[in-house]
Amino acid sequence: MTRWQRTVVWLPLAGLLAFRLFLLAASLVGRPPFWTPEPLTLSEAAAFRDGGEVARLLATGVDPNATYPVRRGAVRGRIEATPLEAAQAAGRDEIVLLLRDAGAVR
Amino acid sequence: MPSERVWGVPVATWAYALALVTALPIAGDLLRMPVQVYDALGEILDASRAHGLADTFWAATFNAAYLRPFRIVQITALFDAAHGHYWLAYRGFHAALLLVVVWLFTRALDVRSRADLLPAAFGLTVLTGIHTFRTMIQEAFPINHFLEIAAFVLVAVNLCRARPRLWRDVAALVTFCAAALTLESGLLVWVTVVAAWLAGWRGVSARALVVMTVLVAGYFALRVTVTGMPTLVERGSGYFFERLEPAEILAKFGDNPWPFRIYNVAASALSVPFAEPQGGVFGFTRAISLGDIPAGAAIAIATSLLTTGLIARCAIGTLSRTTADPARPFVLIFGAVLAASAVMSYAYTKDDIMSTAGVCYALAVFASVRWWLTRSGTMRAPARAALVVVLAVAGLGWSVRSVGIHHLARSAAFKTRNDWAYQPSLWKAERRWPDAPSEQRLLHQLRSDALAMPVPNPRFQPTWMNQVWGE
């Protein structure tokens, strides 16, 4: 096999290795590409079926009955909503239960 | 043969560097995943109730369907060693195990020449890209025992390919015992040693092989007399285009289970070399019939067909020769482990059971790519150009599959974190919430650890990721 033919075969594998080196470097500087979460309000977490984030925010003392801003598309036609409204609009019964357990009533 | 050097560094060191670059980001993914809830939480609670490792071992030996005492002992030992840092103990062990598997894999390749580096990079890419590898990363019960079995088999491969020594015989027997008492798939250590011996690797002696064979017979005697075998209703399983639940399997095959068992063996044997069916379900075939071809499945099947074609031609070439060929042991070991894993899947199809065969597939890819590169020197220009195209396309496809493991790890982390969010109310509703305050504290701590982990919501990832790599 000629040198350039070997290079052609190496190319995708070298690309993968370079990508993994980038992942390592990005992790070292605290911005791992696959693992950087988008900050969410409690209502957004409820709308985006993120039970883990809902539970985490509730555990930190976030008010389950307050109204929070929601990004476009999270709750149809709304720019803010209560977590319960967001979970009900998304049809997430398990998150509704989680919120009610934490004292959400509206 | 001494190792060649590239830029003054031995090529073996370069191979380990490739392995490290491959494994470290995946190990990093594992350290960002919470401890699993399903199939793990019960085991952790059992570990918290255990009275010493010896008692745990004997209690786990007498089980209705399985003989896996070493599995339970490991979970208990890690729990005891954790001293409250359960996530670190279980996920740290998972990450360390992954690094060990990739190191053993690279060691088994025995890279000594510059020409071996390309096949080694190919093998590592296939190892981390094959669909059976995802179960080794996405799941842990709370230890991923299938990853352990792969490690045991790779230990056996390394022992077999070395020079014969008494300590290697002893190590092979200890490895077999540990593997067989961890999972049924541990018997693959014996299969590997037999295949390696037949292929001419004599690092483990015939005497040790005989002793190991006697131990295999003893294992089956124990299974028949003490524990019993899995029944039809053990768990759900794929069947052609659908997934059958235990009750459906019983209704369909209760009178005559053999068609179901034969299907399971055949489907499992096909799944590693062709990436279809997966979990016993011909998902891609069904998608074609519906006119909706998923990109990820198409890439998986196309790349698997290419590399399986390379292995098949290499196997014909190397097995038909009377003289020894360095590719032969790898190809034989893959064939033997694939066949044995498929037979072990007779009760139900599960990608996990085929995961060690997936590791051996990557070994066979390494050997066959090296075989083809060696032959390429005597090929005509058009044939050589065709080989370059096949290797480049396969390399590109497998690289895409390999990157997917990071996406799949993140998806698993998201699901697991959500499972933890709902876990207390679920167990309370099912009346499974423990009464003991110490166990309640343990559950609360595991839940808090899981919720505190920053896991991104898949909602914000591009939709093509799920199409290419799945969920």
Side-chain angles (χ1 to χ4, degrees):
Chain A
M1 206 174 261
T2 62
R3 191 171 181 170
W4 76 264
Q5 285 175 326
R6 256 178 201 279
T7 307
V8 168
V9 178
W10 256 112
L11 220 53
L13 306 173
L16 175 65
L17 290 166
F19 176 73
R20 291 220 155 104
L21 278 173
F22 162 71
L23 290 183
L24 282 175
S27 296
L28 287 176
V29 298
R31 295 286 297 173
F34 282 91
W35 294 94
T36 307
E38 195 81 16
L40 298 175
T41 65
L42 185 56
S43 299
E44 285 173 334
F48 297 151
R49 67 182 181 91
D50 199 336
E53 189 62 6
V54 169
R56 186 190 73 80
L57 289 168
L58 291 172
T60 59
V62 172
D63 182 1
N65 287 304
T67 301
Y68 298 96
V70 289
R71 62 195 75 195
R72 189 189 297 266
V75 183
R76 200 171 184 173
R78 303 280 294 271
I79 56 166
E80 55 179 25
T82 67
L84 209 49
E85 287 170 341
Q88 283 166 341
R92 309 307 307 191
D93 292 344
E94 69 281 13
I95 294 182
V96 170
L97 198 64
L98 204 59
L99 290 164
R100 288 207 191 281
D101 281 351
V105 290
R106 69 185 195 102
Chain B
M1 190 180 85
S3 181
E4 282 182 19
R5 288 174 175 266
V6 176
W7 296 327
V9 178
V11 288
T13 308
W14 282 110
Y16 286 116
L18 295 182
L20 201 63
V21 171
T22 302
L24 272 182
I26 305 173
D29 292 339
L30 289 172
L31 291 177
R32 294 186 177 98
M33 296 167 73
V35 172
Q36 191 166 307
V37 177
Y38 293 105
D39 296 333
L41 196 48
E43 309 285 10
I44 295 174
L45 282 173
D46 286 345
S48 75
R49 298 178 197 125
H51 301 288
L53 296 182
D55 284 354
T56 305
F57 182 90
W58 290 114
T61 302
F62 298 95
N63 183 290
Y66 302 105
L67 180 62
R68 302 170 173 177
F70 195 50
R71 170 179 175 262
I72 308 298
V73 164
Q74 288 176 67
I75 295 168
T76 309
L78 273 184
F79 183 88
D80 293 344
H83 293 296
H85 303 286
Y86 305 113
W87 165 81
L88 185 62
Y90 288 116
R91 281 302 179 192
F93 186 73
H94 198 170
L97 197 55
L98 171 81
L99 294 175
V100 167
V101 163
V102 176
W103 173 71
L104 286 168
F105 179 89
T106 311
R107 194 178 186 282
L109 306 182
D110 194 25
V111 173
R112 283 167 189 263
S113 76
R114 187 187 285 246
D116 288 349
L117 274 179
L118 175 56
F122 226 108
L124 285 163
T125 306
V126 172
L127 172 73
T128 52
I130 196 162
H131 66 279
T132 50
F133 184 72
R134 71 156 65 171
T135 59
M136 290 174 159
I137 299 302
Q138 282 191 311
E139 297 192 41
F141 326 100
I143 295 172
N144 191 307
H145 302 288
F146 292 99
L147 194 58
E148 285 190 302
I149 298 301
F152 287 132
V153 164
L154 287 170
V155 167
V157 170
N158 279 283
L159 291 171
C160 288
R161 74 166 304 160
R163 288 162 190 257
R165 294 280 184 276
L166 180 62
W167 74 262
R168 288 204 172 94
D169 286 352
V170 175
L173 292 170
V174 170
T175 303
F176 170 78
C177 291
L181 294 178
T182 298
L183 283 185
E184 292 73 12
S185 299
L187 296 181
L188 293 174
V189 169
W190 175 74
V191 173
T192 303
V193 174
V194 171
W197 200 87
L198 290 174
W201 280 354
R202 300 292 157 82
V204 176
S205 71
R207 189 179 45 198
L209 193 53
V210 169
V211 175
M212 203 182 283
T213 306
V214 171
L215 290 173
V216 170
Y219 175 88
F220 278 108
L222 260 180
R223 287 302 299 261
V224 171
T225 56
V226 176
T227 64
M229 306 292 261
T231 61
L232 267 184
V233 292
E234 208 63 47
R235 53 180 86 213
S237 186
Y239 190 67
F240 289 103
F241 301 121
E242 58 185 339
R243 187 165 172 79
L244 300 177
E245 292 309 315
E248 294 172 298
I249 295 170
L250 198 61
K252 220 167 182 165
F253 302 103
D255 295 335
N256 179 16
W258 283 103
F260 181 62
R261 287 175 179 164
I262 291 168
Y263 172 82
N264 288 341
V265 172
S268 300
L270 289 173
S271 70
V272 173
F274 301 109
E276 172 87 345
Q278 292 185 17
V281 177
F282 284 86
F284 183 70
T285 314
R286 184 180 54 192
I288 289 178
S289 68
L290 296 172
D292 176 26
I293 300 172
I299 292 170
I301 290 174
T303 50
S304 290
L305 280 173
L306 286 176
T307 41
T308 299
L310 293 175
I311 293 172
R313 178 65 189 87
C314 165
I316 293 167
T318 188
L319 297 177
S320 60
R321 283 176 58 174
T322 49
T323 53
D325 186 295
R328 186 184 296 172
F330 290 109
V331 171
L332 263 179
I333 288 171
F334 164 59
V337 170
L338 176 70
S341 302
V343 170
M344 286 177 190
S345 304
Y346 76 95
Y348 50 85
T349 48
K350 206 172 171 215
D351 286 343
D352 309 44
I353 304 173
M354 302 306 295
S355 53
T356 303
V359 172
C360 294
Y361 181 79
L363 286 175
V365 167
F366 159 78
S368 56
V369 169
R370 185 171 62 178
W371 185 85
W372 277 99
L373 289 176
T374 308
R375 271 174 62 98
S376 69
T378 57
M379 284 178 172
R380 291 182 170 189
R384 199 163 56 224
L387 177 64
V388 169
V389 170
V390 167
L391 289 177
V393 170
L396 180 63
W398 278 105
S399 297
V400 170
R401 291 176 74 178
S402 181
V403 171
I405 199 66
H406 306 291
H407 163 79
L408 293 166
R410 178 180 58 181
S411 298
F414 180 74
K415 285 175 194 154
T416 303
R417 190 166 177 252
N418 280 356
D419 290 340
W420 276 112
Y422 313 129
Q423 195 278 335
S425 31
L426 197 69
W427 271 29
K428 282 172 187 167
E430 292 173 354
R431 298 181 185 283
R432 293 172 66 196
W433 186 252
D435 294 325
S438 61
E439 293 181 12
Q440 290 178 4
R441 273 198 305 277
L442 172 61
L443 289 180
H444 282 304
Q445 185 192 334
L446 287 167
R447 184 173 185 263
S448 301
D449 289 348
L451 296 181
M453 301 186 79
V455 178
N457 190 310
R459 161 97 187 190
F460 298 103
Q461 71 195 19
T463 49
W464 62 261
M465 287 189 171
N466 281 348
Q467 289 161 1
V468 173
W469 296 315
E471 291 181 53

